[in-house]
Amino acid sequence: MKFLPSVHLPCHPWMAMVILPLLLLLVPLAAAQWSSCSKSDDYKSNSTYVANLSLLSSTLPKKAASSTTLFATSIMGNFPDIVYALTLCRGDSNASACESRVTTAFQDLLRLCPYKKNAAVYYDPCMLKFSNKNFLATTTVNDPLFIVNTKNFTTNADITQRLLFTLINSMAQLAANSLRRFTTSRLDVGSSPTLYCLMQCMPDLIPHDCESCFQDILNSTLEYLGGKQGGRVLGTRCYMRYEMYPFFQGDPKLRIINLAPHVPTINNTTTPATVYPQSQPPDAAPPPEGKVTVQEHNGPTTRWNGDCC
């Protein structure tokens, strides 16, 4: 495994999570679905902004479903009623399910964030964001939501940090260099807890920018989610989820069987985050092992099955 160049990162604006509750109203939905709505920038019911949203809701789902990466962006209208939108379906989704889910996402956002020009919703299989501000122009602003399992690991803090560091750092390059910027993994290390993880960034990012986004997630995970049995960092440019049970489709693309020898020093100067709890679902049986090939690295050993994504 080749470690990422550095985890000594400066504090990015998206990590100043203490500001988020002042700007966004977080609404937990059923079955691990979350939405955020701006408190300002309202539109009127008969406005051109509504008309532009309506056009987006009829075109963006089809655009995403017709893409090989199940990803789409769009810009509709002119200032001051211009709408920027982005949607992504998870790398283990299919086209028909993607179109249906993005259509539902528009309906949910209009219901959950009525008259708000800036809104986002995250589901397990997809996400959608629209805004009157051009968030598509940047690769760094991620505005993440931190969602955690309320149960703690029973292993000691050092082992827990090494598990999470190994998990995310091992996956970053594989995900960043895949077509859908997506991969999944299973970590099996001795008597330590088995962990499953999924990572994805927006397919319009070049691999370098995708890895940079994952480095931010790595730092945030170690700082805010370290002792928890499961968690998510949900953002508009990249996201990650890990659990002690399988939650994605198919066999893991990557199997990790050795821990990193240590965790590099993390820059813990970020502004304190707001972390939201998630309910614990029933335990599930591990997925089939599948066929894997073995690749040796100068570091933790990993295994993956075939081409990724």
Side-chain angles (χ1 to χ4, degrees), residues 90-266:
R90 213 167 73 180
D92 55 354
S93 298
N94 60 56
S96 60
C98 180
E99 182 175 353
S100 175
R101 286 161 178 163
V102 177
T103 298
T104 299
F106 267 106
Q107 296 168 352
D108 285 346
L109 269 188
L110 294 177
R111 174 176 57 85
L112 292 163
C113 302
Y115 310 117
K116 300 300 180 183
K117 289 186 177 182
N118 184 0
V121 65
Y122 299 88
Y123 307 85
D124 279 337
C126 75
M127 64 81 61
L128 168 69
K129 178 179 173 67
F130 62 75
S131 177
N132 62 327
K133 297 178 174 61
N134 187 9
F135 67 95
L136 303 177
T138 179
T139 62
T140 56
V141 177
N142 203 27
D143 295 332
L145 305 177
F146 292 82
I147 316 296
V148 297
N149 186 317
T150 56
K151 291 188 176 181
N152 293 319
F153 283 113
T154 57
T155 51
N156 67 56
D158 175 69
I159 294 296
T160 296
Q161 292 292 85
R162 288 171 62 194
L163 285 169
L164 293 178
F165 175 82
T166 302
L167 189 66
I168 297 172
N169 202 33
S170 298
M171 297 174 66
Q173 286 189 336
L174 186 61
N177 288 283
S178 66
L179 174 64
R180 292 189 177 183
R181 305 287 188 260
F182 167 86
T183 198
T184 57
S185 73
R186 174 176 173 173
L187 183 148
D188 293 296
V189 181
S191 60
S192 298
T194 297
L195 294 178
Y196 299 86
C197 188
L198 177 152
M199 291 170 62
Q200 187 167 18
C201 62
M202 298 302 132
D204 63 335
L205 295 185
I206 63 173
H208 176 271
D209 290 339
C210 184
E211 284 192 46
S212 179
C213 196
F214 287 148
Q215 281 190 321
D216 290 341
I217 280 185
L218 174 59
N219 274 16
S220 299
T221 299
L222 295 179
E223 185 169 355
Y224 300 125
L225 312 183
K228 302 301 181 181
Q229 290 186 4
R232 312 163 199 239
V233 182
L234 305 175
T236 54
R237 281 301 174 186
C238 62
Y239 65 90
M240 179 278 304
R241 179 184 179 188
Y242 74 92
E243 305 285 357
M244 292 179 65
Y245 54 87
F247 59 90
F248 45 77
Q249 298 295 318
D251 294 333
K253 299 293 182 182
L254 181 69
R255 186 176 177 193
I256 305 164
I257 58 175
N258 284 331
L259 277 184
H262 68 279
V263 177
T265 303
I266 303 298

